Amino acid sequence: MAAPEQTRPAIELKGISKAFGPVQANKDISIRVMPGTIHGIIGENGAGKSTLMSILYGFYKADAGEIFINGTHTEIPDSQAAIKAGIGMVFQHFKLVQNFTVLENVILGAEDGGLLKPSLAKARGVLKHLAEEYELSVDPDAKIEDLSVGHQQRVEILKALYREADILILDEPTGVLTPAEADHLFRILEGLKREGKTIILITHKLREIMEITDTVSVMRRGEMTATVKTAETTPEQLAELMVGRKVLLRVDKVPAQPGRPVLEVENLRHVDESGVERLKGVSLDVRAGEILGIAGVSGNGQSELLEVLGGYADATGTVRVNGQEIPLSGPGSDGRARRHGGIAHVPEDRQHEGLIMPFYAWENVGFGYHDDPRFNRGLLMDNAALQADATDKMKRYDVRPPNPWLPASSFSGGNQQKIVLAREIERDPEVLLVGQPTRGVDIGAIEFIHQEIVRLRDSGKAILLVSVELDEILSLSDRIAVMFDGTIMGERLPDETDQTELGMLMAGMTGATQSRSQGAGHA
Amino acid sequence: MDFATILQVLDSTVRLATPLLLACLAGLFSERSGVIDIGLEGKMLIAAFASAAFAYYFSQNPVAGIGPIWMGLLMGVLASLAFSGLHGLASITFRGNQLISGVALNFLASGLSVLVAQSWFHEGGRTPSLPDEGRFDGIVLPGALGPADAEAAGRPLSELIAQANPIQQIYSELISGHSILVYVAFLMVPATWWVLFRTRFGLRLRAVGEAPEAVDTAGVSVTALRYGALVIAGVLCGLAGAYLATGLQAGFVREMTAGRGYIALAALIFAKWRPWYALMACLLFGFLQAIALRYQNIDLGAFTVPVQFMDALPYILTVVILAGFVGKAIPPRAGGDPYVKER
Amino acid sequence: MDRMPAWADAVLVPLFSIVLAAILSALVILAIGENPVEAFSLMVDGALMRSAGWGYTLYYTTNFIFTGLAVAVAFHAKMFNIGGEGQAAIGGLGVALICLFIPWPHWSLALIGATLGAAAFGAAWAFIPAYLQAKRGSHIVITTIMFNFIAAAVLNYVLVNLLRPAGAMDPATEIFPQATHLPSFQDMFAGGGSLFRGAPANITFFVAVLACVAVWLLIWRTRLGYEIRAFGHSETATRYAGISTVRITVVAMLISGGLAGLMAINTTMGEAERLVMNATEGAGFIGIAVALMGRSHPFGVFLAALLFGFLYQGGAELALWTDIPRELITVIQALVILFTGALDNMVRMPLESVFGTLRRRRSPKPAPTTPSE
Amino acid sequence: DPALIYDLGGKFDKSFNEAAFNGAERWSEETGGSYRDIELQSEAQREQALRRFAERGFNPIITTGFSMSTPIANIAADYPDTKFVTIDGFVDPEEHPNVLSILFSEHQGSFLVGMLAAMASESDTVGFVGGMDIPLIRKFACGYAQGVKAVNEDATVISNMTGTTPAAWNDPVKGSELAQAQISQGADVIFAAAGGTGLGVLQTVADEGAHGIGVDSNQNYLHPDQMLTSMLKRVDVAVADAMEAGADLETGVQVLGLAEDGVGYAVDEYNESLITEEMAAAVEEAKAQIISGEIEVHDYTSDDSCPVLDF
Ligand SMILES: Nc1ncnc2c1ncn2[C@@H]1O[C@H](COP(=O)(O)OP(=O)(O)OP(=O)(O)O)[C@@H](O)[C@H]1O
Ligand SMILES: Nc1ncnc2c1ncn2[C@@H]1O[C@H](COP(=O)(O)OP(=O)(O)OP(=O)(O)O)[C@@H](O)[C@H]1O
Ligand SMILES: [Mg+2]
Ligand SMILES: [Mg+2]
């Protein structure tokens, strides 16, 4: 499996340092990766993983240090040089042109000659070949913006392979993938490894590290703290190396004590801007003191369900909160009205919906609640009150750094998420809608976020959780509903189901295990 | 409206649309690469001045072998290129605000053209009237009726054309007889389309206006692409300015672009940054203006439509069409943002 | 990437930029065969060393404050209002109608009336573009450009055919009644002396200063301003928060148009005391430069407006006493806009590395920190 | 010394302001005197320039353009020892004894060139292009149309204005298109009263083989043998005379019409081939009749209406 010891490392970094202004993102980092292996890198948010890989790919320039590729000292001043050295990278945030086709994205920068036609034709052939070889099929003529995230990621991988990369870097590739997609990705990676390619994988998920990597490095605060053989370590040990303390890897919660239904949804239908029906008669209810988890492959209506309930997409049907029907379109159906009605919402996309990135943290802590009388004095806003409130919440939610005068953009993903959670949970809502609460968040923060959600449940509130992480759904929910193609395929209790069964439902297959316990969790 | 009148209005449309079209395509290249260009007006203006000034200079001091008009054209293009370069320096190299840079260039052109003209020619900020060799002539296409036929027949050209068959009328009046820059402008439309959608450069250009980070990580220089786009924009604006001063007119007059750069910008948005739509938009603007110029005082019996209304009509119709038919225009996504890797 | 102290960014960068612009301007003046030192001292002398000079400088400043604020407010909502020119022109019409057809007992009441009228007319002229943008997605840049032309046509028609006193040559209204004449700086401060004599600066300047304060309060201290800024940064987030994008678009543009309209109080009621054609004289476009240079902050707008006011008045003095064409001022303005607004990084980058070197010298080892910890 | 203030169009507009400049230059050459001048760039500068010149002791202060009359009326009383001249403007002499208002009878001059146009036209269609729809331009147009109709009752006068923004005076391309449009509607003589835009009109008229009529200054030289004539407005003479008179300038109101040679039409080597003897005779006769009052040319601005042309 691992290459013999005497071969030269595919990648060797020596003494890499990089500072962004006063922030030392990488400190004297050295690492060797053998050819034909999968090497994992883990670390908290902001530990410097992405920075290190961006340096290897020539996207950033290191302040100091040397890079050796296959044993030869290689200068990588820009991505062109990295590509030449046989390095391909799949960034955490994809670098794709949204309104281009797959083919166009693949050939961009790697065209043969001045005219497109021959390049496109050649790429079409190569893509077909790659698709067969690595299970990497994507419609070459589809526009990127029409593709699911999983497919977009395949395009990124195809881009690298098209450039004949021998070294592939993947930065948090599974953060946005469904379990099925993630499994698929790992099959692809295994295939690539068999072909002798070298892979660096950055992830927050220890399960993935354990499952697929040969060796793993741990980063903390810009430094490389350890490199170990995967076979010789445990998740608990890695977590401790990462965070510097013991981390609870499972959610710790007592059984739910569900009360009366707080949120009742009946026959909810929603048609999006392009005329596609996204919700096809969804019915569900969430009781006081319980977490209802919605599992599903993304794009099956979960986002729309949150948008409708959160008040920024129109729908038909009936929704009652504490028995009171709320309007689903027209006046009184916007997000503001929902908040007044006791529905709080942690949106799936914190950067585009949950936060105003250039706003200060304290401004963001008031966002959506800025018309609250507590934050206003007559015509003017009471900024002092907002700031005090933000300082307090940031402290309680352990947002780092706890400085309300930093813009949201300068917090890491996990800390951004904490700001949103603090804002929504601390309003003490009747219903909390949560979308992808831990996407891209490190395990230390995940632990904290899960605890907070459970704490809210235990105080008797109704929580609707949407997540593509089946692990998260299974460990956090008191009851699980699976969505497929705009409908609820069925409900399960977490103790009575498993990933396989949920996966079948998520794929739209009801089959033999038909509805083992509809409503059983209500008891 | 009889046939001849329709032809004349369309003929006028072509002339009025040409500078708009060139400027609009210039803006298209620039904005497709992610650099917003409200300096079209300024580039046209400085090119109009430079082309007229040098066409005049070289008509007085001839250089053997090169017509003064070509020297004028060259200098006009160079002047416009210099402005483009300045815009690039500010908005690409120094990652400045593209809007401010464009506004500044418009001011600069407006002041500099007059200042220099006054200092060179002492005619109050205009150039002297250009002699014929300093102007672009109309080109008579093969088979079309032209001034030569008129001379031979001893009758005015318009009369000759009016008596020809309709096809010949269209050919001679509408299609033939424009200056070379008109044909260049119209040919630029398919050329632009081809470059944009059929060549490697075009692919990269479109990409850099949508997602510069994708271009960068693909190993292509964002800076070089954007400068490339600005060079093309500079050349096209140069042609537009030269057409105004040496094609349509016989010299430079202060502020002679008269807001056409802004109209071209409007046309660009109208066209949703696409070349064929740009042609349509510019022709539409030209047509509305031609109509408004021709029918200034419409007498409706009891009531004369005031000239001011007709004057504003092209603008009113633009708003109506925009609101009624065009809908939302989505600009290139990276437009206006300087590319900063270390976000 | 080195950072420099905030004060340096706020003071040194603009300062060096202006110096660069001045050096280039001096070269231009030299090139046309004039003496730059003389020219600059004439400008400073005429604009800043005499009370009447200040009176003119502040008069222009007043105009630019209003149009600059107008553009700035729209910018906060991420809209580019090129229509200040038209909105100010129609605002002038509002002022004229209010002054001519309502018998005001005293200027103070007339000022209040005219303020409301100018703002209402300016806002009305911004309403259609705003509504079309919000509802139909019609690009506000095109529609406001078009509305500038339409406003000019409307004003031309109204002045030539409707409001012009019979037989008058000027396409202008008659002089407004005495009771609507606003106190000029001379009336207010001279006490019979010659301070500010003849200068057009008038009480509207203080309205403009108030407008700066009001806009500052609006943008940074009110819910509406908070919502406008949020909308300007992220449309999706405002929808999430339940803020109506249509409402914000329209309201922001109404405020923007209203501010542009207010400029007419200064020109029409304060200076000319009648409505003339082209009373706006491009101030709507200068407003764009002012807002951009002032970074859309009312205080920045105030300073930028002052700078442009100085250039306008200094330029007038230059034109009075030398043979330098008036276009020189346009060139200087262009250079100032270019260097302070667009090429500011050209100054900032070297300065940053200077500060970086200084810092490194003071502390040889940069303290390693990560903000997320 | 005298001072001269040009209107917003600027000193070199090739017509009105330039005529004033030429008059001043001529005076300066002939007498060796010196003068100061300024081109305004904003409305507020009108008063400013007047005051600054007055404070520095310039006398008389001559201004061009009707827009200067109101500012002069505003400040004249502050400088009783300074004499002000407003060309094209009117200031009440009773109220302001130190102001001279010089008015031209443009309608009379326009009438004469209108006659020439009608006589030279073969298509019986003539054109008029004005810079902006303002009373002064209507006055030109109306006088012109009357002259045309006086020669040929059935002739058609096509009248166009170039725009409503200040760009209307500086858009030769638009002028060009207007001229094209008028020519295609049959016009073969076009009178351009539109500043820089007019240059475009005259250029196109010459290119298309029709005839143009210039305005204010003698513009015949622009296109030899193509320019039918120019409607002269002797602003140059008025300026030179005022400068000559200096501080002793007689104030009040002067109306300069045909009788005073304040307006007229230009005949010189550039257009003599186009003006036949009959044409010259007819125009001279009409001129005499206007001076004697036999023909009365209606002045649009007297009652804001024109008997022969709708606006
Ligand atoms: N573009 C940038 N500008 C300034 N500082 C940056 C930039 N990118 C990263 N940093 C700094 O470098 C540090 C390392 O960031 P990096 O993105 O490499 O972290 P990471 O380990 O990839 O985190 P995550 O797990 O969230 O992806 C951050 O703490 C941050 O302070
Ligand atoms: N412009 C910036 N200035 C300073 N620090 C920055 C800047 N941009 C990013 N950072 C820092 O970079 C680190 C990582 O940023 P990044 O955008 O990768 O977020 P993240 O933690 O990776 O979140 P996610 O994993 O959800 O993408 C954060 O710690 C943040 O503080
Ligand atoms: Mg990362
Ligand atoms: Mg990250």
Side-chain angles (χ1 to χ4, degrees), chain D residues 81-125:
Chain D
D81 300 332
T82 306
K83 301 219 164 125
F84 297 92
V85 181
T86 166
I87 296 176
D88 269 10
F90 176 78
V91 172
D92 191 342
E94 307 276 294
E95 272 180 59
H96 300 289
N98 55 338
V99 179
L100 167 64
S101 306
I102 302 180
L103 296 162
F104 289 90
S105 306
E106 293 94 348
H107 52 295
Q108 296 179 347
S110 300
F111 183 90
L112 297 188
V113 299
M115 288 180 68
L116 285 172
M119 289 185 282
S121 171
E122 286 168 14
S123 59
D124 291 341
T125 305

Side-chain angles (χ1 to χ4, degrees), chain B:
Chain B
M1 225 199 288
D2 60 10
F3 186 59
T5 312
I6 292 174
L7 277 187
Q8 283 149 7
V9 167
L10 293 180
D11 195 37
S12 173
T13 301
V14 168
R15 283 189 303 267
L16 289 168
T18 297
L20 293 181
L21 183 58
L22 285 166
C24 185
L25 292 175
L28 192 148
F29 273 102
S30 170
E31 302 208 350
R32 277 282 188 164
S33 83
V35 181
I36 291 190
D37 198 354
I38 53 176
L40 295 174
E41 175 90 358
K43 277 186 254 187
M44 264 203 282
L45 190 62
I46 203 73
F49 162 69
S51 60
F54 285 96
Y56 180 77
Y57 176 83
F58 285 104
S59 69
Q60 306 307 113
N61 312 279
V63 178
I66 311 172
I69 180 59
W70 298 108
M71 293 303 290
L73 182 65
L74 177 70
M75 298 309 282
V77 168
L78 286 182
S80 168
L81 273 176
F83 268 52
S84 252
L86 209 51
H87 190 45
L89 191 71
S91 53
I92 304 172
T93 305
F94 287 113
R95 298 178 203 149
N97 184 313
Q98 299 170 4
L99 293 177
I100 307 189
S101 170
V103 169
L105 288 184
N106 287 341
F107 274 80
L108 192 61
S110 146
L112 211 55
S113 58
V114 177
L115 203 61
V116 177
Q118 172 61 11
S119 148
W120 286 357
F121 302 109
H122 305 285
E123 291 202 19
R126 46 177 125 238
T127 62
S129 275
L130 295 175
D132 282 346
E133 66 271 22
R135 300 173 65 196
F136 280 105
D137 279 338
I139 292 179
V140 180
L141 297 177
L145 295 169
D149 304 287
E151 221 160 281
R155 285 187 304 160
L157 180 58
S158 52
E159 215 172 288
L160 274 190
I161 292 180
Q163 284 159 7
N165 65 50
I167 304 287
Q168 176 66 296
Q169 283 191 34
I170 294 177
Y171 186 57
S172 298
E173 174 86 39
L174 185 57
I175 300 178
S176 167
H178 295 286
S179 102
I180 178 139
L181 292 178
V182 173
Y183 301 107
V184 170
F186 280 80
L187 286 178
M188 276 313 294
V189 175
T192 302
W193 175 85
W194 186 80
V195 166
L196 221 48
F197 296 103
R198 286 290 177 270
T199 69
R200 171 174 65 189
F201 174 72
L203 182 79
R204 293 177 172 188
L205 190 77
R206 284 182 291 134
V208 81
E210 289 288 332
E213 67 283 357
V215 173
D216 191 14
T217 52
V220 181
S221 163
V222 172
T223 307
L225 275 173
R226 290 193 166 167
Y227 267 107
L230 285 191
V231 166
I232 299 177
V235 172
L236 290 174
C237 277
L239 297 182
Y243 178 66
L244 286 177
T246 63
L248 285 175
Q249 287 304 308
F252 170 82
V253 178
R254 71 170 64 191
E255 300 291 347
M256 76 182 297
T257 43
R260 287 183 178 79
Y262 294 104
I263 300 289
L265 205 62
L268 179 61
I269 298 171
F270 212 115
K272 300 182 173 175
W273 294 267
R274 281 181 270 188
W276 288 106
Y277 286 35
L279 175 66
M280 294 303 150
C282 292
L283 283 176
L284 179 72
F285 280 121
F287 178 70
L288 291 177
Q289 277 174 19
I291 289 278
L293 285 177
R294 201 174 176 94
Y295 300 97
Q296 274 208 330
N297 299 79
I298 297 179
D299 200 343
L300 300 176
F303 169 79
T304 309
V305 176
V307 51
Q308 290 86 355
F309 178 77
M310 288 308 289
D311 201 62
L313 192 61
Y315 310 114
I316 296 173
L317 284 179
T318 301
V319 173
V320 170
I321 292 171
L322 191 65
F325 305 104
V326 177
K328 197 166 177 131
I330 298 166
R333 245 164 278 210
D337 304 324
Y339 178 56
V340 187
K341 213 191 282 206
E342 312 202 344
R343 165 193 61 88

Side-chain angles (χ1 to χ4, degrees), chain A residues 45-46 50 92-93 171-172 204 413 440:
Chain A
N45 291 124
S50 302
Q92 189 172 357
H93 302 282
D171 192 352
E172 282 183 45
H204 287 297

Side-chain angles (χ1 to χ4, degrees), chain C residues 40-118:
Chain C
F40 280 126
S41 59
L42 253 178
M43 286 177 71
V44 172
D45 219 46
L48 308 178
M49 307 308 283
R50 307 164 44 244
S51 66
W54 271 105
Y56 276 95
T57 302
L58 292 181
Y59 166 76
Y60 295 121
T61 302
T62 307
N63 288 342
F64 302 150
I65 289 177
F66 283 124
T67 53
L69 287 178
V71 177
V73 167
F75 262 142
H76 278 291
K78 208 169 194 170
M79 281 181 289
F80 192 18
N81 178 10
I82 308 199
E85 195 74 5
Q87 290 143 15
I90 297 296
L93 190 57
V95 171
L97 295 178
I98 296 230
C99 289
L100 287 172
F101 296 107
I102 298 180
W104 295 100
H106 188 259
W107 65 262
S108 53
L109 295 176
L111 178 60
I112 294 171
T115 303
L116 295 177

Side-chain angles (χ1 to χ4, degrees), chain D residues 2 15 17 26 34 41 53 78 80 85 91 97 99-100 123 131 138 165 174 186 198 213 239 243 272 275 283 305:
Chain D
S15 59
N17 290 300
R26 204 169 60 230
S34 70
Q41 57 182 343
F53 282 142
D78 290 353
V85 181
V91 172
V99 179
L100 167 64
S123 59
R138 287 185 177 186
T165 61
K174 203 164 179 183
I213 299 177
V239 169
M243 288 191 168
E272 56 198 2
I275 308 281
V283 175
S305 78

Side-chain angles (χ1 to χ4, degrees), chain A residues 2 8 10 18 31 46 53 69 79 142 150 199 235 254 259 282 312 405:
Chain A
R8 289 170 306 181
K18 170 79 182 171
I31 183 178
M53 291 304 115
I69 303 295
S79 304
I199 294 163
V254 298
V282 170
Y312 52 109
W405 283 96

